[in-house]
């Protein structure tokens, strides 16, 4: 009699589902923390008065932390208690965020550069004379000895950016176990056909992290850095000013709290689980030793021999050699390396690009990235996972989807080069005082007949805007004679440079702040549309790309392969990309700020045309090289697929023809094919 065995359904609160939920939340938390740090890069650059190249080093310190431990975590972590290692990593990320925020509590209050002195009494009617009263201020700030500057730098705490560097590195160390151990744990205990769907779901939940991270960054960027400690009525700059510093430290405290919550579930998960769809055996029950220790206790002689650290270390080099003999794996790493270089450079300086090229405030740029680009990325990841599950694509199909998405997103990126706005009109920097566009930029060109008698500082950046839409570097350089009002409402009058401008203005007064870009709103909308469409298409290839990686390596090397992939890509992509992107962007600076102690600070104004060409040109070069590598990778996948097909055909043919024919010829060809495949990759697709 035939007995039907009904497969037991998985309970709604199984440990695998708990792990899936916990891993999704930790992906959210780490993306939330990392994206907030990215969104605060501009604020940190201004707070510590450092150039973009140095801020690139700070940004790359996260990958430096990964570099220190990821190879060992990926290899040894696969043999230990993976969930608890992930929990420990979450705790380290929380501590790193708190460490990064420490400089705010050690530094004094932020003092932005200005040539204008504020009346002590808010009700005072005192009139400041910008053109006549600046000489002592100029001498005080520009004629300073090296000894005095060193003492001033120490007092100002400008070297405290090192805490940000170290805290970000600690975050990188803590993030190390999440991806290699979490994804391998998922792939080990999930049904093979469900892996792509689960992976897409985790990445989709993870992409919500950057959305909230950028929104929090936008909110904090509008709050003054010393909020609660200063009277905001006395602050003469707004969040749109290039000297403004938002409350960058506040969001780090929030992200640290979220990361602490993400660590909790992993301490209650077992070392291993029952694979989905398999009958649960009594021997697979969780034992107390697996809950209490990273390394299992010594088993009895009848059980599996004990694995110690020395035995694991002996196999490490062998496993590395075996992994890097996989040609497909090497091509995947190379392709990812080119793409990640372009992506990291783009996402790090995209808010600054939107600010300098399209005249957007940092808070608005960050907000738009979080509210428009990132939802498009989430939808793209869902679409990619759905396509993989719906059509049950193999490795070749996944490679085609991923490569096609990369090419189409590059076309959207290419369109952005032609969506440009004119340079901001700044007298003496982008246009002459006669209204002619400038080709070369020099500090001396800030002087003209209209301000020659004012003895103005050429180093300070204290912009004012005339009614004609022309920005002047300071009220003094605009030739203003009198002023009125206090704080943000201060205005300057009888400005000789405004009076002598070729196009007559409605009046000869100027207001604090840089003029907004004219006729740039429509172009910015086109740019955002192209950016959102490109983000969606690019994200469609993310999940298929991961599947190509996971299916191109043997299961025993899966954690090591993912870890080495992250190690190489972050080392050669995440670390140098922000540095050389920042160094190239620094070359387009027109006006550097002045530190409190008189040294060169952060850049206040860029040549937007040169910025756009440099920034997009670097991205185009990197993505173009990745397309060439994609072609070589796809060709290798097709070649290997044909070899496997021939091997299967030879095997089936040999079974039909019999042992005699096999001995004469077919066995030799089959063995040669099999040996060739194993020597090349030692894996199956």
């Amino acid at each position: 009699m035939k007995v039907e065995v009904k497969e037991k359904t998985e309970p709604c609160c199984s440990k695998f589902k708990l792990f899936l939920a916990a891993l999704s939340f930790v992906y959210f938390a780490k993306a939330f923390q990392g994206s907030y740090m990215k969104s605060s890069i501009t604020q940190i650059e201004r707070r510590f008065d450092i150039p973009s190249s140095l801020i690139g080093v700070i940004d790359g310190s996260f990958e430096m932390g990964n570099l220190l431990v990821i190879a060992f975590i990926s290899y040894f972590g696969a043999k230990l208690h993976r969930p608890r290692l992930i929990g420990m990593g979450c705790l380290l990320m929380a501590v790193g965020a708190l460490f990064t925020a420490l400089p705010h509590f050690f530094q004094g209050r932020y003092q932005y550069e200005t040539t204008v002195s504020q009346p002590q009494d808010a009700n005072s009617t005192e009139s400041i004379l910008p053109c006549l009263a600046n000489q002592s201020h100029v001498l005080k700030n520009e004629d300073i000895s090296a000894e005095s500057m060193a003492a001033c730098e120490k007092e100002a705490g400008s070297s405290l950016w090192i805490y940000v560097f170290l805290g970000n590195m600690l975050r990188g160390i803590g993030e190390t176990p999440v991806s290699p151990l979490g994804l391998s744990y998922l792939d080990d205990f999930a049904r093979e056909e469900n892996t792509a769907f689960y992976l897409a779901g985790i990445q989709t939940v993870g992409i919500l992290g950057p959305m909230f991270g950028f929104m929090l960054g936008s909110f904090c960027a509008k709050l003054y850095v010393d909020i609660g400690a200063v009277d905001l009525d006395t602050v003469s700059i707004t969040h749109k000013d290039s000297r403004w510093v938002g409350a960058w430290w506040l969001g780090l405290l929030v992200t640290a709290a979220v990361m602490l919550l993400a660590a909790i579930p992993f301490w209650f998960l077992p070392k291993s689980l029952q694979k989905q769809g398999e009958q649960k055996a009594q021997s697979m029950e969780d034992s107390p030793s697996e809950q209490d220790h990273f390394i299992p206790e010594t088993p009895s002689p009848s059980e599996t021999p004990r694995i110690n650290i020395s035995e694991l270390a002996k196999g490490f080099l062998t496993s590395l050699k075996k992994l890097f003999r996989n040609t497909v794996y090497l091509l995947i790493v190379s392709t990812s390396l080119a793409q990640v270089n372009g992506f990291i450079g783009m996402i790090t300086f995209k808010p600054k690009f939107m600010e300098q090229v399209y005249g957007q405030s940092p808070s608005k740029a960050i907000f738009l990235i979080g509210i428009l680009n990132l939802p498009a990325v989430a939808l793209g990841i869902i679409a990619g996972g759905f396509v993989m599950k719906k059509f049950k694509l193999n490795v070749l199909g996944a490679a085609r989807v991923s490569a096609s998405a990369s090419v189409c997103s590059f076309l959207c990126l290419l369109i952005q080069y032609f969506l440009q706005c004119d340079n901001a009109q700044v007298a003496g920097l982008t246009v002459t005082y006669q209204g002619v566009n400038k080709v070369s930029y020099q500090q001396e060109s800030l002087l003209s007949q209209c301000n020659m008698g004012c003895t103005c500082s050429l180093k300070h950046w204290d912009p004012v805007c005339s009614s004609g839409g022309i920005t002047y570097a300071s009220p003094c350089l605009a030739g203003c004679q009198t002023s009125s009002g206090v704080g943000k409402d201060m205005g300057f009058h009888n400005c000789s440079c405004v009076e002598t401008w070729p196009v007559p203005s409605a009046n000869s007064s100027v207001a604090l702040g840089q003029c907004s870009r004219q006729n740039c709103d429509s172009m910015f909308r086109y740019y955002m549309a192209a950016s959102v469409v490109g983000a969606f298409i690019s994200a469609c290839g993310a999940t298929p790309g991961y599947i190509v990686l996971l299916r191109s390596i043997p299961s025993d090397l899966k954690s090591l392969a993912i870890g080495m992939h992250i190690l190489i890509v972050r080392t050669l992509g995440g670390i140098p990309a922000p540095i050389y992107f920042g160094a190239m962007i620094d070359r387009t600076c027109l006006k550097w700020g002045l530190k409190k102690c008189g040294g060169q600070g952060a850049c206040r104004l860029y040549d937007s045309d040169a910025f756009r060409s440099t920034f997009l040109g670097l991205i185009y070069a990197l993505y173009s090289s990745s397309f060439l590598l994609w072609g070589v990778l796809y060709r290798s996948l097709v070649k290997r697929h044909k070899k496997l097909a021939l091997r299967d055909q030879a095997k089936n043919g040999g079974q039909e023809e019999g042992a005699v024919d096999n001995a004469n010829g077919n066995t030799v060809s089959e063995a040669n094919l099999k040996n060739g495949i194993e020597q090349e990759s030692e894996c199956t697709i």
Side-chain angles (χ1 to χ4, degrees), residues 650 654 658-673:
V660 176
D661 291 336
N662 287 341
N664 292 334
N666 288 339
T667 303
V668 175
S669 61
E670 179 187 346
N672 290 337
L673 281 172

Side-chain angles (χ1 to χ4, degrees), residues 31-32 34-40 207-221 347-348 350-351 362-363 365-371 374:
F32 177 58
S35 60
Y36 177 80
M37 188 67 187
K38 286 284 186 185
S39 70
S40 301
I207 206 64
L208 295 176
M211 288 175 57
F212 284 92
F214 276 95
M215 291 174 67
L216 178 63
S218 175
F219 174 75
C220 291
I347 198 64
T348 301
K350 187 169 185 175
S363 60
I366 294 168
F367 178 78
L368 289 176
I369 292 173
I371 206 68
L374 295 177

